[in-house]
Amino acid sequence: MDMEKGGKETGAPEKTGKTEQKKSREEVPKAVEIPEESIPEEEIFVMPGDLVGTAEEFTAGEGTYVNKGDIYSIVTGNVMIDKKKRVVSVVPNTSTPPVIKEGDIVIGEVTNVRDSVVLVSLVGIKGVEEREFQTSGLAAIHVSNVSDRYVKDLSKEFSISDIVKAKVLNIENMRLDTSDKFMGVMKANCSRCKTDLVKEDNKLKCPVCGNVETRKISSDYGTGVI
Ligand code: ZN
């Protein structure tokens, strides 16, 4: 028994040394697994189960899994695409934001106005204190969900940097709705001189240069009421 123990003991330090060396070597690449050249093309916020690409276009990276040729996120975070290596990964949000539910009223800033969709960077949820809301998620308002009236040209309803209030229609693809009279633009700047526009009838007027602009205006425009 003594001999057996002795034999084990002599072998033990060597073994431990090897495992420790191996461990520290493995830890280095793990910390830098997200390639540095992975710059988000535009911030795409996803939740577990969201489609982030296909196995045909990309290799599934950190935070994703492949199912039947499609790549899905396994975490809540932002999509990162390494164009050189064609790897799609999802970088998890380190802070845990409050869960956004359908029907929630959210506040966001317009970041992009396209032909059929307006992209909004979320900054808050009604009823949730600002300090608790730290996600930088992106949501979209489709042209059909802007207003009760027929909307043809989105650039007449929203402009980049507008602050909007909207209702969450769908959390799977973060679709928002502003058709309610309380929903829409809460604050907007003059496109010419950047002064805060003032609501006048159903339009917005610049008190400095007199420029008149149109928006899908919330009935709470300029009141600061959320
Ligand atoms: Zn102006």
Side-chain angles (χ1 to χ4, degrees):
M1 204 179 143
D2 272 356
M3 269 175 73
E4 238 179 80
K5 205 183 172 186
K8 265 187 188 170
E9 268 171 17
T10 44
E14 215 187 309
K15 265 187 190 170
T16 326
K18 266 185 191 167
T19 8
E20 266 168 14
Q21 262 190 346
K22 214 180 175 187
K23 244 188 191 174
S24 58
R25 243 188 257 142
E26 273 173 2
E27 266 162 21
V28 178
K30 243 185 193 174
V32 290
E33 236 161 64
I34 307 299
E36 278 178 58
E37 56 269 38
S38 291
I39 306 155
E41 209 174 347
E42 67 186 332
E43 233 163 39
I44 304 170
F45 178 76
V46 291
M47 297 204 189
D50 282 357
L51 182 71
V52 294
T54 66
E56 226 169 62
E57 346 165 42
F58 301 111
T59 302
E62 284 285 287
T64 68
Y65 69 95
V66 182
N67 184 26
K68 291 176 185 166
D70 286 326
I71 304 172
Y72 298 89
S73 178
I74 52 171
V75 294
T76 298
N78 292 304
V79 176
M80 298 283 259
I81 293 168
D82 182 343
K83 283 188 172 171
K84 273 187 197 161
K85 294 176 186 163
R86 307 215 56 79
V87 173
V88 62
S89 7
V90 179
V91 179
N93 280 348
T94 44
S95 60
T96 37
V99 178
I100 299 174
K101 300 182 296 295
E102 278 175 21
D104 275 349
I105 306 299
V106 291
I107 299 295
E109 183 180 339
V110 174
T111 57
N112 202 331
V113 180
R114 296 182 183 170
D115 286 345
S116 61
V117 82
V118 174
L119 298 182
V120 176
S121 172
L122 298 178
V123 295
I125 309 176
K126 186 177 179 172
V128 175
E129 283 182 54
E130 224 169 292
R131 63 185 162 82
E132 292 176 38
F133 189 86
Q134 291 169 346
T135 185
S136 54
L138 201 67
I141 310 169
H142 187 261
V143 66
S144 62
N145 301 123
V146 168
S147 174
D148 285 338
R149 66 194 151 76
Y150 173 65
V151 172
K152 195 176 157 196
D153 186 356
L154 274 178
S155 68
K156 287 184 175 142
E157 314 294 333
F158 297 99
S159 186
I160 288 174
S161 88
D162 284 356
I163 301 299
V164 298
K165 174 161 73 169
K167 193 181 276 181
V168 177
L169 264 189
N170 167 323
I171 51 160
E172 273 80 48
N173 45 24
M174 282 312 292
R175 279 285 192 84
L176 307 180
D177 184 294
T178 57
S179 55
D180 190 280
K181 68 169 182 167
F182 298 106
M183 305 302 152
V185 176
M186 299 288 286
K187 189 176 172 291
N189 295 328
C190 173
S191 60
R192 283 192 205 151
C193 71
K194 303 294 167 203
T195 307
D196 282 0
L197 295 169
V198 176
K199 190 174 159 188
E200 210 179 275
D201 299 323
N202 288 322
K203 291 187 174 179
L204 298 177
K205 193 174 178 185
C206 176
V208 174
C209 74
N211 186 26
V212 174
E213 301 190 16
T214 60
R215 294 289 197 281
K216 166 47 174 108
I217 308 170
S218 159
S219 59
D220 292 326
Y221 183 90
T223 60
V225 173
I226 290 174

